Amino acid sequence: MVRPRYEMPGNLRPASLQERRRFYARRMDYDAAAAWMSRPAGGRVFALILGRHSGIYPRRFRHLKNVPLIIDDAVEVRDLRPYLLRYLPEGVYYDRNVYAPLDETRKARIDYARAWRSRVFRGQELAFDLDPENVDCPIHGDIAAKMARHQGLSFCDWEFEEIRRQAAELFDELARRWSRLRIVFSGRGFHVHVFDADAFRLSRKERGGIAASLARRYAIDEWVTSGEMRLIRLPLSLHGMVSRIVIPVPRRRLESFSYDDPRAVPRF
Ligand SMILES: [Zn+2]
C-alpha cells in the first residue's frame, strides 16, 4: 500500500537562526522558566541541541550540531541566555536529575549520563513523553512505517488529536497516585511531569516497571519514564523544528488545546 507523503500540519516549520536569535534575545519568558525549575531545589543541568533534526545551526559550530551540549554552570535559567544567543540551538533541554549544588557537582567530574549511583545524585523527576508520531495512524501507519519512509518526525492532525486524548487520560490515571502533576505542550506532543517527592525517589527498577506497564496502553517513550533518557524540553523555550513555544497547559484546557494556541505561537 502506498501511503500519502506528509510532513507537519498547519504552518509548523523549522525556525531560522535569525528567528531563534530574536526569540532568545527578546521573547523568552525566563522568569516563568525559572519558576518551573525552582522545584525541587538543587543543582540543575541543561543541554542544548544545535541542529540535529532541522539541519539548521551556526556554521562555526558544525562539529557540535548533533550532540547535546551540556551546561552545568547556569544557576538560574537566565544564566542560559548568553549560551542561547551564542549557539542558537534548535532545542533546549534540562536534565531531570537533581544534583548537589553545582560547584560540588562539577568538582565530582561525573559522567552525567551515568549519574544515578554517584554521590552528587539526589533524585530524578518522573516524566512521561507522548509524541504524535508514536500513535498508529489510519492514514500514515505506525512508527515503523513512518521511519521506513524517513518521516519519523512527521505527524498529522489525527495523530495530534489522538496523542492529546492520551495525554488527558494518562494525566487522570496518574492523578489517582500523585497530586503534583503538570502537562506541557512539547511543540509536537505532550509531556506529563510528576513533582511529588516520592516520585523523585523512585528506583530505576520501579521506573522501568511503571514505563513498561503504561507503554502497553499509551504511546509513551519508555526511555524517558524509565530514566534512561534524562533530558526533557525546558518549558518556555522554543521548539525549533516546529516554531512553537513549549508551554504548560492546565488539565481543564487540554481537550481544546491546539498547536496554534496564541501562547504557543512565537512572534519573531
Ligand atoms: Zn497520520
Side-chain angles (χ1 to χ4, degrees):
M1 169 180 180
V2 178
R3 297 197 186 267
R5 283 195 69 80
Y6 74 133
E7 297 296 335
M8 290 185 288
N11 60 353
L12 299 178
R13 56 163 183 84
S16 69
L17 291 178
Q18 194 180 31
E19 288 169 334
R20 295 178 194 175
R21 183 181 292 110
R22 282 194 205 119
F23 181 81
Y24 288 114
R26 293 199 286 272
R27 297 293 184 200
M28 176 158 166
D29 187 343
Y30 288 93
D31 292 335
W36 180 275
M37 294 302 296
S38 68
R39 53 206 169 169
R44 305 303 297 259
V45 171
F46 297 88
L48 312 180
I49 300 272
L50 273 53
R52 182 183 197 161
H53 298 297
S54 62
I56 299 170
Y57 52 88
R59 302 303 288 175
R60 64 192 168 122
F61 298 128
R62 187 188 190 96
H63 57 296
L64 298 171
K65 69 186 170 83
N66 291 333
V67 293
L69 191 71
I70 302 294
I71 297 171
D72 61 2
D73 63 354
V75 175
E76 301 284 341
V77 175
R78 200 171 282 278
D79 299 337
L80 288 176
R81 192 171 179 275
Y83 290 105
L84 299 174
L85 292 174
R86 174 177 165 85
Y87 292 105
L88 304 175
E90 71 177 17
V92 185
Y93 302 78
Y94 69 92
D95 184 338
R96 292 181 293 118
N97 290 349
V98 179
Y99 298 100
L102 283 182
D103 45 356
E104 183 188 336
T105 297
R106 279 198 305 276
K107 267 183 222 150
R109 293 184 167 277
I110 57 163
D111 174 358
Y112 290 110
R114 294 177 184 78
W116 202 270
R117 288 175 186 282
S118 82
R119 61 181 175 79
V120 292
F121 177 83
R122 297 287 183 268
Q124 187 187 76
E125 183 188 310
L126 180 65
F128 300 84
D129 177 23
L130 298 115
D131 282 321
E133 72 271 14
N134 289 331
V135 304
D136 298 349
C137 174
I139 305 155
H140 302 105
D142 62 12
I143 183 66
K146 295 170 201 175
M147 295 287 279
R149 298 194 306 272
H150 307 288
Q151 293 181 330
L153 290 174
S154 305
F155 68 101
C156 67
D157 281 323
W158 190 93
E159 291 162 39
F160 180 79
E161 285 169 24
E162 169 60 14
I163 208 71
R164 187 182 62 193
R165 188 195 66 73
Q166 288 195 20
E169 205 175 299
L170 175 63
F171 180 98
D172 294 346
E173 180 169 343
L174 296 173
R176 295 202 288 268
R177 177 170 176 186
W178 289 296
S179 57
R180 300 181 61 204
L181 302 172
R182 294 288 182 279
I183 304 169
V184 167
F185 167 58
S186 69
R188 305 170 67 256
F190 297 91
H191 297 152
V192 181
H193 298 252
V194 183
F195 288 108
D196 295 63
D198 63 324
F200 269 91
R201 290 192 297 263
L202 289 169
S203 69
R204 289 295 290 270
K205 200 178 168 193
E206 289 166 325
R207 288 166 200 268
I210 292 168
S213 114
L214 289 173
R216 285 198 286 271
R217 285 178 293 127
Y218 301 99
I220 60 165
D221 181 334
E222 276 192 66
W223 278 39
V224 170
T225 299
S226 71
E228 200 73 33
M229 175 58 188
R230 67 196 195 288
L231 301 178
I232 200 152
R233 278 183 194 278
L234 175 67
L236 286 314
S237 68
L238 181 72
H239 189 316
M241 267 300 279
V242 290
S243 300
R244 285 296 179 271
I245 305 170
V246 179
I247 51 164
V249 180
R251 170 66 186 89
R252 66 180 185 282
R253 289 188 50 205
L254 185 59
E255 269 89 354
S256 60
F257 182 84
S258 136
Y259 49 76
D260 285 330
D261 185 292
R263 290 175 56 226
V265 180
R267 282 163 301 171
F268 293 128

